[in-house]
Amino acid sequence: MSTAPNRRAVAVILLVPLMVTLALWAFAWPAARIAPRDLPVGVAGAAPAAQQLEQRFEQRGGAFEVHRYDDEAAARTAIEDRVVYGAVVATPQGPHLLTASAASPVVSQLLREAVTASVPKGTPVEVTDVVAAPPGDPRGSALGASVLPLALAGMAAGAVVTLTGLRGARGALTLLAAAALVGLAATAVTHSWLGVIAGDWWTEAGALALTVLAIGSAVAGLGALFGSRGIGLGALLMVLLGNSFSGVTSAPQLLPEPVGAIGQWLPPGAGGSLLRSVAFFDGSAAGGAVWTLSLWSALGLAAVLLARRAPKPAEPTPPPPDREPSLTG
């Protein structure tokens, strides 16, 4: 009796727990270790009071990266430019907290709790949401949930190009067309129907399409280099690690190091950051994400364009027909 089926059964039994463990590590570990790590915040106001606020932030042991501003107007500009997530302004009436729930509702709540805990009990803390999340998604849940469908759409496009053997210009055009259509459809759902993003419609569509193109091109490029194994590697990078390390549901600076930085170098994290920038901040701080997505797209498309179509196996030559011996007179 052949031992091949038994070996396959043992491989499946060992592989399933390994994949579950890897998935739990990728998703549960960062979520269980959420805490501020060099989180950019601002401090503004008169020197003595502002210095006290700055010292209180610095006493948190590397949790915050403090930026000093002269007045409230400068702090607001820094928030709108996505330089800081929020700022505390020292006023004669007490601290005035400026937040941006559109950048991260989780960070806004964290700053509110940190500032309230740092002032004497009973001291009122005025809070102003400078860039508020849209009414259709006040907690940012829908925006955070949009990363996985984009990753799956890119995975599907790259897998189809690989499995159907599309190479060269046909493969590249297929990826471009699929990404463009997904960008239009996703913007119609998130902007026009659900109202969870509120920027320029076509700019948002371009950001979503570029995200899908980067993911799909990376998967197809890996498929062109490694065959069907490249699809599995693409799924590991884009879906398992890219989605869980993206920081879209919280913030990259809240994830354990170096998970937050790695996530921003992968297309799902860069795409989520780009979408926030174009949807709520008029494109501020979008340059890094655009470069990251463009690099993944260019490398993947180059691999698809330069890869040769796998040669078809030669058909076996049929044997010559049997011929009856000729009769001789």
Side-chain angles (χ1 to χ4, degrees):
M1 180 178 179
S2 175
T3 60
N6 293 334
R7 291 178 180 177
R8 288 196 292 267
V10 172
V12 170
I13 293 173
L14 297 177
L15 184 60
V16 170
L18 179 62
M19 292 300 298
V20 171
T21 303
L22 181 60
L24 286 174
W25 169 80
F27 284 91
W29 174 60
R33 297 291 185 270
I34 286 181
R37 297 171 177 86
D38 292 326
L39 186 71
V41 297
V43 172
Q51 287 177 354
Q52 292 181 0
L53 292 173
E54 184 176 358
Q55 291 174 359
R56 291 169 183 169
F57 277 120
E58 292 175 347
Q59 289 173 356
R60 300 288 296 270
F64 298 97
E65 178 185 287
V66 182
H67 298 245
R68 283 292 302 271
Y69 300 102
D70 294 333
D71 50 26
E72 180 178 336
R76 284 176 175 266
T77 301
I79 293 174
E80 294 169 352
D81 292 340
R82 298 202 72 184
V83 177
V84 294
Y85 281 91
V88 186
V89 183
T91 67
Q93 294 77 24
H96 180 195
L97 176 60
L98 306 176
T99 64
S101 59
S104 173
V106 176
V107 172
S108 297
Q109 182 63 30
L110 185 150
L111 291 176
R112 187 191 300 260
E113 295 173 355
V115 173
T116 303
S118 65
V119 299
K121 189 175 182 179
T123 303
V125 178
E126 183 182 359
V127 181
T128 301
D129 200 348
V130 178
V131 186
D137 189 25
R139 298 181 180 179
S141 303
L143 182 64
S146 65
V147 174
L148 181 58
L150 294 178
L152 294 177
M155 272 293 308
V160 168
V161 168
T162 300
L163 296 177
T164 56
L166 290 175
R167 297 290 186 269
R170 287 186 178 181
L173 290 175
T174 301
L175 291 169
L176 288 168
L181 291 176
V182 172
L184 294 174
T187 308
V189 172
T190 55
H191 183 115
S192 303
W193 179 31
L194 299 177
V196 299
I197 53 179
D200 178 74
W201 201 96
W202 290 104
T203 305
E204 293 167 348
L208 292 168
L210 181 58
T211 302
V212 176
L213 177 63
I215 298 171
S217 299
V219 174
L222 291 171
L225 295 174
F226 304 109
S228 58
R229 300 175 188 173
I231 299 177
L233 182 57
L236 175 66
L237 288 175
M238 302 301 160
V239 178
L240 188 61
L241 299 182
N243 184 53
S244 58
F245 291 2
S246 66
V248 177
T249 57
S250 54
Q253 293 83 359
L254 297 183
L255 300 180
E257 297 178 351
V259 167
I262 294 174
Q264 295 307 298
W265 280 103
L266 294 174
S273 179
L274 176 60
L275 184 59
R276 282 193 189 278
S277 292
V278 301
F280 308 120
F281 296 90
D282 294 328
S284 298
V290 170
W291 276 108
T292 299
L293 295 172
S294 300
L295 181 61
W296 279 97
S297 301
L299 293 176
L301 290 175
V304 173
L305 287 170
L306 298 177
R308 295 181 178 180
R309 183 186 296 271
K312 294 183 179 179
E315 296 182 0
T317 304
D322 294 336
R323 311 180 78 178
E324 295 183 359
S326 58
L327 299 176
T328 58

